[in-house]
Amino acid sequence: MKKLFSKEFLTRNETLVGVVIIAFCILASFADANFMSIPTLTDLMRGGIVLGIFAVAAMLVLVSGGIDVSFTAVAVFAMYTTTLFLINYAPDMPWYFAFAISIIIGAGLGAINGVFIAWFGLPTLIVTLGTLSIYRGFVLTFVGSKLISNLPPDMRGFSRLMMVRGTNADGSFYSLPWAFAALVGVVVLTWFILQRTMLGRAIFAIGGSVESARRIGINVRAVQFFIYIYVGALSGLAGIIHASMSRVANPFDLVGLELSVIAAVVLGGARLIGGHGTLTGTILGVSLIILVRNSLIVIGIPSTWQSVAIGALILLGTGLPAWQAKRAAARAA
Amino acid sequence: MSNLKPKSNLLASPEARLALIAIVVFVVMSILSPGRFLSVANATSMAFQFPEFAILALAMTVTMLTGGIDLSVVGTSNLSAVFAATLLTQFVDPSLTGGDMFMWLGIAVVAAICVGMLAGLFNGILVAIFGLPPILATLGSGLVFTGLAVALTGGSAVMGFPVGVAWLGNERLFGIPIPLILFVILALIISFVLTRTSFGFKIRMYGANPLAAEFAALDIDKLLIKVYVLSGALSAIAGLLIMSRANSAKADYGSSYLLLAVLIAVLGGVNPYGGYGKIIGVVLAVLSMQFLSSGLNMLQVSNFARELIWGVLLIFVMIVNTQKSFGFGAKKKSSATT
């Protein structure tokens, strides 16, 4: 019953985003014959790695009925601390070691969020708003505020690991780094958790109604705690990938991106009230945001209008279903 | 036991606890850097600094009372300021003085506030008529407003105003900084509106229980639209203040003020789910933040540590406010409210 209900509404939002993406691509390929090409696609995929991992994390929180704005600060904290630690104490460690440290730091910071949310029962927006400034302030005050451009050699090595590499007909290069596999891995793992485990069912249940979830015997605290640890770990992963790929650990990076990520997720059909959200929608939402960011100019809209376009898309993407729901409610009453 | 009772009564309301925090911060800072924190120069510099984000916090408070939020406050203030700035630079000769200048300044101020109100109207329609969740409606519209400001200016700062523009943000009247006077007037007006008018009563009523408000035959659509228009107008005033202090307008001024405004409102005891909040709490929260900022600045603590401390303060206050078993204000909920 619930499944049917959510399907009916969500497909609408996802199809809407899908249609906009296709329309955008058609328009763009009319304007520029080279638009529909492998380089455009790999650029899109490359740009979507960090944003995509963040979006999956943000989606999970939205599904559980919360909202997290601290994930960018978690990512910066984990990425910067890891890089600094490796450079000073273990510069020759392989990249997966760096990734593991960053993920563990991220999970730890996520656990702090989890304690405030699951044990103290504070509103998620307020907690993560607070920890956003705490984590960022902590890194910049006590860890460092300098840009690190000489990353450990193996982290740079990671950014050179290419999955696909080639030359286009017109001589331009394209490549897709292995980092993309991390996004795929995150999506598959999250899909498995959400769709194939009791834990995933519990996350949806809590998002639907905390009280009902508690009454059917779900340990709400433990599930919430898990969500924020998992989200922290994903943020740590996204952070270290971001640093490796841009070959610089910048403590001022990433923070400020959180609302765009949430916007992408919401565009993909996740709802702030919880209980709704799909991975397909999330990925579509991220794709659309990146398309608009990278290629708005191709369809003849100057890039100064970029944030107007993204804002309008968010309003349209959330406004249409909201309005339909409101009209349906008015008819029913 | 009985001699403990008055104390817990006194500290039962969030505002009282916040007043205590503000006083403690003030005293600690005065002790730590006696010569400088307690100086007139410091007091004046603080009075010039905080009104701009304090007014944004007022705008945030009004929307939070209805259980909403306005994430477009900074976008609205920048759009209004950029509009006024463009008006001034396009039509007014910067060397203009006297009556003509004041007329044009008046026009610019009115135009900016109109832009702010229109932006608020847009938000209000999205929330009330189309039923968007306020957080998304204002997140999206905030991007649109910022984007329009970027498109209007091409992303660069607009400057070259007549001299009178700088007056609002940098001068004093009877020795009191004008931004402070402006903030006090606005805070008094909003406080009056919220506590003494039926509009304010309806806002709190709707925030406390939307369904009950609907059954009480409130015109909710109209109410919400008015709330967001008010928030837009306040944002525009903050935008003018920022423009005057910077003597220029730009699409991305004050972008750190958004989260700060939310933080202040929540710190001030405004319930983000609606229904409860007092302007005095917001004022106390602003003061605590400013005392902390200035004091830490004098102790040469980095700006980043300030951010850290704000975050800690926010979560600490939230824990104290929500955990009734945590000490002061324990079982006082029923007797202490209203």
Side-chain angles (χ1 to χ4, degrees):
Chain A
M1 176 64 190
K2 187 171 184 292
K3 176 106 186 158
L4 234 170
F5 179 75
S6 74
K7 213 172 174 177
E8 179 198 335
F9 274 86
L10 280 179
T11 39
R12 274 189 205 163
N13 217 322
E14 283 160 1
T15 38
L16 181 74
V17 176
V19 166
V20 173
I21 290 179
I22 293 170
F24 189 98
C25 289
I26 292 175
L27 268 175
S29 54
F30 273 126
D32 178 4
N34 287 331
F35 180 78
M36 295 293 257
S37 61
I38 295 170
T40 313
L41 186 68
T42 52
D43 277 354
L44 182 73
M45 288 162 85
R46 188 201 296 269
I49 297 170
V50 172
L51 214 57
I53 297 177
F54 278 148
V56 169
M59 189 273 284
L60 204 69
V61 179
L62 286 185
V63 166
S64 76
I67 188 165
D68 187 344
V69 292
S70 73
F71 55 86
T72 51
V74 171
V76 169
F77 192 120
M79 166 265 272
Y80 193 75
T81 317
T82 308
T83 318
L84 207 64
F85 171 76
L86 284 185
I87 284 183
N88 288 332
Y89 299 104
D92 297 321
M93 282 295 172
W95 60 266
Y96 41 83
F97 191 71
F99 277 44
I101 298 181
S102 185
I103 291 174
I104 291 169
I105 294 177
L109 297 176
I112 296 178
N113 282 342
V115 167
F116 288 126
I117 290 164
W119 264 269
F120 290 100
L122 301 183
T124 54
L125 176 66
I126 310 297
V127 168
T128 53
L129 203 61
T131 53
L132 171 73
S133 34
I134 293 177
Y135 297 157
R136 188 175 135 92
F138 189 89
V139 167
L140 294 171
T141 320
F142 297 112
V143 185
S145 54
K146 281 199 199 72
L147 199 102
I148 305 175
S149 49
N150 57 331
L151 292 188
D154 209 56
M155 270 170 74
R156 266 177 289 161
F158 174 78
S159 68
R160 279 194 288 268
L161 295 176
M162 292 300 166
M163 229 191 302
V164 192
R165 187 198 297 273
T167 319
N168 220 19
D170 59 0
S172 56
F173 291 102
Y174 65 86
S175 59
L176 186 63
W178 266 103
F180 189 72
L183 173 60
V184 177
V186 164
V187 170
V188 171
L189 178 65
T190 311
W191 172 83
F192 184 79
I193 292 175
L194 278 181
Q195 304 296 338
R196 288 292 177 272
T197 64
M198 281 306 289
L199 184 62
R201 295 288 89 198
I203 294 174
F204 275 104
I206 289 177
S209 160
V210 175
E211 194 46 43
S212 319
R214 189 171 288 132
R215 288 191 190 181
I216 57 170
I218 291 170
N219 186 343
V220 173
R221 265 185 190 173
V223 174
Q224 278 184 329
F225 201 52
F226 166 80
I227 293 169
Y228 289 94
I229 290 178
Y230 185 69
V231 165
L234 289 189
S235 312
L237 176 67
I240 198 80
I241 289 180
H242 177 80
S244 307
M245 295 224 322
S246 53
R247 297 183 192 183
V248 58
N250 179 357
F252 294 95
D253 240 357
L254 297 174
V255 172
L257 212 66
E258 52 279 340
L259 292 183
S260 326
V261 171
I262 292 170
V265 177
V266 169
L267 210 51
R271 300 222 203 126
L272 287 170
I273 48 162
H276 299 270
T278 61
L279 284 160
T280 331
T282 304
I283 291 165
L284 283 173
V286 171
S287 312
L288 184 56
I289 295 274
I290 293 174
L291 260 184
V292 170
R293 277 191 170 180
N294 289 357
S295 318
L296 198 61
I297 191 86
V298 179
I299 58 169
I301 302 174
S303 55
T304 43
W305 288 86
Q306 181 180 308
S307 66
V308 178
I310 295 179
L313 279 173
I314 294 169
L315 293 182
L316 216 68
T318 53
L320 277 179
W323 196 41
Q324 277 166 351
K326 196 174 170 174
R327 280 204 323 200
R331 267 200 300 272
Chain B
M1 193 62 208
S2 57
N3 59 349
L4 270 174
K5 221 176 174 190
K7 192 187 166 210
S8 60
N9 253 334
L10 261 177
L11 289 176
S13 77
E15 286 78 17
R17 287 195 289 263
L18 205 60
L20 185 70
I21 290 178
I23 294 170
V24 167
V25 172
F26 186 82
V27 170
V28 168
M29 289 305 168
S30 311
I31 294 170
L32 286 179
S33 54
R36 284 178 301 163
F37 190 79
L38 278 176
S39 63
V40 180
N42 181 46
T44 348
S45 111
M46 287 198 292
F48 275 116
Q49 281 167 32
F50 73 78
E52 42 195 56
F53 60 80
I55 294 174
L56 290 179
L58 287 182
M60 193 67 76
T61 303
V62 180
T63 53
M64 269 192 184
L65 282 175
T66 63
I69 193 167
D70 190 347
L71 297 179
S72 73
V73 282
V74 173
T76 308
S77 65
N78 281 326
L79 180 61
S80 322
V82 160
F83 189 79
T86 318
L87 206 69
L88 284 175
T89 45
Q90 291 296 314
F91 297 104
V92 187
D93 181 11
S95 59
L96 206 66
T97 48
D100 275 356
M101 181 185 81
F102 284 111
M103 187 195 77
W104 274 104
L105 290 186
I107 292 175
V109 167
V110 171
I113 293 175
C114 285
V115 170
M117 289 171 85
L118 275 178
L121 179 69
F122 183 67
N123 284 332
I125 290 175
L126 288 175
V127 172
I129 313 287
F130 289 96
L132 264 78
I135 197 169
L136 290 180
T138 55
L139 170 64
S141 69
L143 279 171
V144 171
F145 301 150
T146 310
L148 284 176
V150 171
L152 210 62
T153 59
S156 47
V158 184
M159 45 190 134
F161 309 131
V163 283
V165 170
W167 179 81
L168 181 68
N170 299 294
E171 291 301 320
R172 298 152 207 228
L173 209 61
F174 313 118
I176 305 168
I178 292 175
L180 180 65
I181 297 176
L182 190 65
F183 171 66
V184 170
I185 293 174
L186 287 174
L188 287 176
I189 293 176
I190 301 294
S191 184
F192 178 83
V193 166
L194 289 180
T195 52
R196 294 279 180 274
T197 65
S198 73
F199 175 54
F201 181 71
K202 284 178 195 161
I203 290 177
R204 280 180 291 130
M205 190 172 158
Y206 175 77
N209 191 337
L211 197 63
E214 193 175 348
F215 286 147
L218 285 194
D219 189 345
I220 288 164
D221 290 359
K222 209 169 107 193
L223 179 74
L224 283 175
I225 289 176
K226 271 157 90 181
V227 164
Y228 284 91
V229 167
L230 177 61
S231 159
L234 286 170
S235 309
I237 295 173
L240 286 170
L241 206 53
I242 296 173
M243 173 174 122
S244 167
R245 262 168 52 85
N247 210 6
S248 61
K250 195 164 178 249
D252 60 356
Y253 276 160
S255 43
S256 64
Y257 285 169
L258 173 58
L259 294 187
L260 191 60
V262 178
L263 210 150
I264 289 175
V266 174
L267 197 61
V270 180
N271 182 351
Y273 298 120
Y276 182 82
K278 288 180 180 164
I279 295 301
I280 181 71
V282 178
V283 173
L284 286 170
V286 167
L287 290 179
S288 313
M289 299 283 262
Q290 187 60 46
F291 291 159
L292 254 183
S293 286
S294 299
L296 291 173
N297 214 5
M298 286 171 182
L299 298 171
Q300 322 230 295
V301 176
S302 81
N303 284 351
F304 312 125
R306 219 187 283 178
E307 219 174 303
L308 171 70
I309 292 167
W310 285 349
V312 172
L313 190 63
L314 174 69
I315 292 188
F316 171 74
V317 169
M318 280 308 287
I319 290 177
V320 173
N321 281 352
T322 49
Q323 307 296 307
K324 297 293 170 205
S325 53
F326 249 61
F328 28 79
K331 36 229 140 129
K332 286 267 91 59
K333 193 159 180 25
S334 51
S335 63
T337 41
T338 68

